[in-house]
Amino acid sequence: LIWQTELVMMALPTCFIALLFAFALFSTAVKALSSDYYDQTCPNAESMITKVVKNAMLNDKTVPAALLRMHFHDCFVRGCDASVLLNSTRSNKAEKDGPPNISLHAFYVIDVVKKQIEDLCPGVVSCADIVALAARDAVALSGGPSWEVPKGRKDGRISKAIETRQLPSPTFNISQLQQNFGQRGLSLDDLVALSGGHTLGFSHCSSFQNRIHNFDKRHNVDPTLQASFAASLQNVCPAHNKVRNAGATMDSTTTLFDNAYYKLLMNGNSLFSSDESLLTDSRTKRLVSKYATSQDDFFKAFANSMIKMSSISGNGQEVRLDCRFVR
C-alpha cells in the first residue's frame, strides 16, 4: 500500500503538487492570523478605518471599487503584504506602476487611515491589515456583506512591477483562471464568488476590446455577447479609440454591491472574456446561475472566499510607518 501511494504521488502532475503546496501555505497563513489581533494593542483601529472609508465614499463614489480591487491586486502578487502600496524608486519600478495597476487609485484613503492610526497606536497596525479591512468596509458600506477579517499580516519590503504579470487577465479562459487561482490555494468555487466583485466599478476599453473588434477569423464580435449590448460597447469603444478614459461600468448598479453581475452574465451582458468563461464549465456555470438567483447565497460565498483570499500568506517582515515606503 505504501508503494502504491508513492506511485500515485510520483504520477501526480506538477501543477497538482503545486496546488497542494499552495494549500499548505494557505493553511499556515490562516493559523497565523487572528480576528482579535488588535483587541489589546489598538482596539479602535477597525472603527477608525470604517469612518475614513465612509467619508471617502461620500466624496468619491469610485472609492469602494478601488479599495476592493487594490486588495485583490495586493494578495495575488506576493500574498497580502501591502506590496501594492509601495512607491517606485530610482532603482526599482514597483507594483503600482506595473501595467495592470496603472488604473489603481484611492491610495490616499489608506494614507489617511495610516496617519490617524499611527497617531493613536504607533507602529502597531500593518498597512496590509488596513488594506484588507478597508476592502471589507468598502463592500459592506456599498450594500454588500460584512465579515470578520483575520488580522496580523506584516508588510512586505519588496515590490516589483514585472510581477504584476501574475495577476489574472480579463482575457483568460476557464483553464487559465483555474490555474491562476489554484496557485494561490483558491478553488473554482472561490473563483466564481470572487468574480462577483465585478459588481462594483468601471473598466477601460482595453480590457474588453478583444470581444467587440476582430474577435476571431469568423466573427468581428464575440458571438456570446448580446447583440445590442455589443453595439453599445462598440459605440463607446470604437476600433481606433482615442478617448483615454473611455469604457463601461462593470454592471448596471455600479456603486451597489449586489448580484446584478451574475444576472447580466447569464444574459450575455458581461464585459470580460474571463467573465464569459465562467459559463464554459458546468460547475462554475451552476454557481453563476445560483448566485444570479440568490443574492444571499452569493453574499455568504463572497464573504467566505474573501476571508480565504485575504489570508494568502505574504513575506511581510515589518509594520510600516508610512505605507508607501519600507522602514
Side-chain angles (χ1 to χ4, degrees):
L1 182 60
I2 294 175
W3 176 76
Q4 288 179 329
T5 303
E6 289 175 346
L7 278 182
V8 171
M9 287 301 293
M10 289 173 65
L12 285 174
T14 304
C15 62
F16 186 73
I17 295 174
L19 290 183
L20 291 177
F21 179 67
F23 183 75
L25 287 178
F26 166 73
S27 300
T28 302
V30 171
K31 293 176 183 177
L33 303 179
S34 167
S35 60
D36 60 359
Y37 191 82
Y38 296 115
D39 283 5
Q40 302 301 317
T41 55
C42 197
N44 295 320
E46 290 201 41
S47 60
M48 185 174 289
I49 294 170
T50 303
K51 183 178 179 180
V52 172
V53 172
K54 188 173 184 179
N55 287 338
M57 288 172 60
L58 293 175
N59 295 317
D60 182 355
K61 63 182 181 181
T62 70
V63 162
L67 293 175
L68 181 57
R69 186 165 176 246
M70 186 188 298
H71 186 35
F72 276 115
H73 284 220
D74 181 39
C75 291
F76 268 68
V77 180
R78 292 187 169 270
C80 309
D81 66 347
S83 54
V84 74
L85 303 180
L86 289 171
N87 284 352
S88 294
T89 65
R90 289 183 179 180
S91 59
N92 178 66
K93 189 175 180 181
E95 286 173 37
K96 63 167 60 172
D97 292 318
N101 287 343
I102 294 297
S103 59
L104 286 182
H105 66 288
F107 292 108
Y108 73 91
V109 177
I110 306 301
D111 293 336
V112 171
V113 169
K114 183 61 173 173
K115 185 179 186 306
Q116 291 188 11
I117 287 184
E118 283 302 309
D119 289 342
L120 185 69
C121 316
V124 172
V125 182
S126 70
C127 298
D129 278 345
I130 291 173
V131 171
L133 288 161
R136 187 272 312 275
D137 290 340
V139 170
L141 292 169
S142 298
S146 187
W147 57 90
E148 194 68 46
V149 176
K151 297 168 284 289
R153 301 164 189 77
K154 298 300 182 186
D155 298 325
R157 297 177 57 85
I158 300 172
S159 182
K160 297 182 179 296
I162 194 171
E163 294 183 352
T164 58
R165 294 176 180 176
Q166 300 169 18
L167 291 166
S169 166
T171 63
F172 272 6
N173 60 35
I174 192 65
S175 296
Q176 291 170 314
L177 287 171
Q178 183 176 10
Q179 181 180 22
N180 188 277
F181 276 63
Q183 288 170 345
R184 291 155 180 82
L186 300 172
S187 67
L188 272 178
D189 292 37
D190 296 318
L191 165 61
V192 180
L194 293 174
S195 293
H198 285 171
T199 187
L200 294 177
F202 175 91
S203 172
H204 291 96
C205 297
S206 57
S207 294
F208 55 87
Q209 195 87 358
N210 66 303
R211 299 189 75 194
I212 58 175
H213 300 291
N214 301 315
F215 178 69
D216 61 24
K217 292 181 179 179
R218 292 189 299 163
H219 306 92
N220 183 46
V221 175
D222 184 345
T224 62
L225 272 176
Q226 205 271 338
S228 59
F229 181 60
S232 68
L233 293 180
Q234 287 179 320
N235 185 52
V236 173
C237 303
H240 301 290
N241 174 54
K242 295 183 179 179
V243 180
R244 184 178 180 183
N245 292 319
T249 56
M250 297 300 289
D251 77 11
S252 54
T253 56
T254 185
T255 61
L256 181 66
F257 195 96
D258 57 17
N259 67 336
Y261 161 81
Y262 297 103
K263 294 178 181 179
L264 292 171
L265 177 53
M266 293 294 291
N267 292 327
N269 291 342
S270 61
L271 280 184
F272 300 157
S273 295
S274 58
D275 295 325
E276 180 63 29
S277 75
L278 299 181
L279 300 179
T280 64
D281 176 272
S282 59
R283 179 175 166 188
T284 56
K285 185 176 182 178
R286 281 196 300 272
L287 287 171
V288 170
S289 178
K290 177 182 179 181
Y291 299 152
T293 303
S294 172
Q295 183 165 276
D296 287 342
D297 285 342
F298 164 48
F299 279 9
K300 290 173 185 175
F302 186 83
N304 288 334
S305 292
M306 282 296 289
I307 292 171
K308 192 173 175 181
M309 186 204 74
S310 73
S311 302
I312 297 174
S313 179
N315 295 312
Q317 301 172 342
E318 63 184 20
V319 173
R320 291 182 214 141
L321 302 182
D322 184 322
C323 292
R324 296 173 181 261
F325 307 96
V326 297
R327 294 187 70 170

